[in-house]
Amino acid sequence: MDDEVNVTYITFDGHVEVQKYRYVYFVVMFAIYIIIIFWNSTIVYLIVIHENLHEPMYIFIAALLINSILSSTTTYPKLLIDFLSEKQITTFPRCLFQSAVYYTLASSEFLLLSAMAYDRYVSICKPLQYPTIMRKTTVKVFLFTAWFVPVCELGITVVLYVNVKICHDSLKGLFCNTSIFTLQCVPSTALSIYGVFLLLNICLLPMLFILFTYIRILIITYRSFKTIRRKALRTCLPHLLVLINLSCFTAYDVIVVRLESDIPKLARFILTLQIMVYHPLLNPFIYGLKMKEISKHLKHLLFQVESH
């Protein structure tokens, strides 16, 4: 093609006055990254060491929090390096790898939330059958599926990008996300169609399943005693809050990033940082405070630390 360019490096053009505020950005984001690792690891640690938390719901929560750690580790180290660098650049293969890992973990969160919704449905609506249905084997299958399916589906995306010709060398964001689609010389029809398939298959369908499941729970518990309704609300509310949080992240990614919405650079910069900060920080906060058993063990741990 006549307009094809040999693009060696890709520049992240989403930074705002990074030369002036590089050290402020670095210190703030590094502190947040440490807090994310600490908070999520603490809840996972509590779930691992306490036998009464070795139940399907808490195992899925631990998997979700491990996802948050991995997802943050996919973006934060590179972002911190960029803050201290004269040029905020990467190569296309590295960019593609970061994007694939990032969306694999995001997709697995939807599947993990689906597994948690099913677990709550069986626990509340079919309590007598719960031990039979939610066996260790079932939990292992759900966990394997939640990570293996996104790996395969995002792996196909990577394969489709192999023969794509790159003509552009600038991304509007701070890290590699679906905006890498804009680097192509000519938009790939196959990638566009497969992107819609991925959105439907690993985002919208799990979301509809989760909403349908919780609506069923609400309908069934509405006819039950007040104590059962209260228990259902207490256990389902944290999952719904996490789903809303993840849905906002997905909406931002589709509307602002993928569709290249024309918004000011500063607004895009702030929105991107909020997505990177809020999602991995809110998950352990929600589960640590809203889940009774985890909250009890967390308070005990904090009391032990204070006593020493």
Side-chain angles (χ1 to χ4, degrees):
M1 294 181 61
D2 294 337
D3 59 344
E4 183 180 337
V5 178
N6 184 19
V7 176
T8 304
Y9 292 105
I10 297 167
T11 304
F12 295 111
D13 195 36
H15 293 271
V16 176
E17 297 193 59
V18 67
Q19 304 299 331
K20 184 177 180 181
Y21 298 111
R22 65 169 72 248
Y23 296 112
V24 175
Y25 290 153
F26 179 86
V27 171
V28 172
M29 295 305 288
F30 180 72
I32 291 172
Y33 180 50
I34 296 300
I35 293 170
I36 288 170
I37 299 296
F38 175 78
W39 257 113
N40 285 277
S41 300
T42 300
I43 305 299
V44 172
Y45 169 75
L46 291 174
I47 292 172
V48 170
I49 65 170
H50 294 289
E51 287 192 11
N52 69 320
L53 298 181
H54 293 179
E55 297 178 8
M57 178 176 66
Y58 298 112
I59 293 172
F60 292 138
I61 289 173
L64 201 68
L65 299 182
I66 291 171
N67 251 26
S68 293
I69 294 172
L70 294 175
S71 181
S72 297
T73 303
T74 302
T75 55
Y76 273 78
K78 173 64 173 122
L79 183 66
L80 293 172
I81 291 171
D82 284 344
F83 285 148
L84 299 181
S85 303
E86 289 300 319
K87 294 182 179 180
Q88 294 72 46
I89 58 175
T90 188
T91 61
F92 182 72
R94 290 177 182 175
C95 191
L96 183 58
F97 177 76
Q98 183 187 52
S99 178
V101 174
Y102 181 72
Y103 287 112
T104 296
L105 294 169
S107 302
S108 69
E109 288 201 33
F110 277 106
L111 296 180
L112 286 170
L113 287 171
S114 299
M116 292 162 75
Y118 179 73
D119 173 75
R120 290 301 83 205
Y121 171 75
V122 177
S123 175
I124 295 169
C125 302
K126 299 181 179 181
L128 297 179
Q129 301 175 42
Y130 184 79
T132 305
I133 297 174
M134 295 304 295
R135 293 173 298 177
K136 286 185 178 180
T137 305
T138 307
V139 174
K140 289 177 182 178
V141 169
F142 282 163
L143 289 174
F144 177 77
T145 303
W147 279 311
F148 183 71
V149 170
V151 166
C152 292
E153 295 189 335
L154 269 300
I156 293 173
T157 303
V158 174
V159 172
L160 290 175
Y161 265 107
V162 169
N163 295 321
V164 166
K165 305 302 180 184
I166 305 300
C167 286
H168 308 286
D169 61 355
S170 178
L171 290 175
K172 291 183 179 180
L174 304 178
F175 62 96
C176 297
N177 45 29
T178 52
S179 60
I180 64 172
F181 187 81
T182 63
L183 298 175
Q184 302 173 82
C185 299
V186 178
S188 167
T189 304
L191 277 169
S192 297
I193 294 172
Y194 190 68
V196 174
F197 166 77
L198 284 181
L199 181 63
L200 292 173
N201 193 44
I202 57 182
C203 293
L204 294 182
L205 288 181
M207 194 184 301
L208 290 174
F209 172 79
I210 294 166
L211 292 175
F212 172 77
T213 304
Y214 285 128
I215 289 171
R216 286 284 299 162
I217 292 174
L218 290 174
I219 291 172
I220 292 172
T221 55
Y222 181 76
R223 304 167 186 161
S224 305
F225 297 108
K226 184 181 289 187
T227 53
I228 297 177
R229 288 202 300 270
R230 192 180 297 118
K231 178 188 174 183
L233 184 63
R234 187 174 64 248
T235 57
C236 294
L237 183 60
H239 305 319
L240 286 173
L241 290 175
V242 172
L243 176 64
I244 292 169
N245 186 30
L246 186 58
S247 300
C248 290
F249 149 74
T250 305
Y252 163 81
D253 201 71
V254 173
I255 297 171
V256 176
V257 180
R258 187 67 172 79
L259 299 182
E260 296 188 82
S261 300
D262 188 18
I263 63 173
K265 186 176 181 179
L266 179 60
R268 184 186 291 266
F269 177 72
I270 293 171
L271 282 170
T272 303
L273 289 181
Q274 286 180 333
I275 292 296
M276 293 179 67
V277 170
Y278 289 163
H279 186 61
L281 266 184
L282 282 178
N283 285 0
F285 180 78
I286 290 170
Y287 289 123
L289 297 181
K290 293 296 183 181
M291 302 300 288
K292 186 178 178 181
E293 289 300 318
I294 295 178
S295 179
K296 183 175 68 176
H297 289 300
L298 183 60
K299 289 175 183 177
H300 181 69
L301 179 65
L302 293 175
F303 177 76
Q304 284 184 323
V305 173
E306 288 178 2
S307 63
H308 287 296

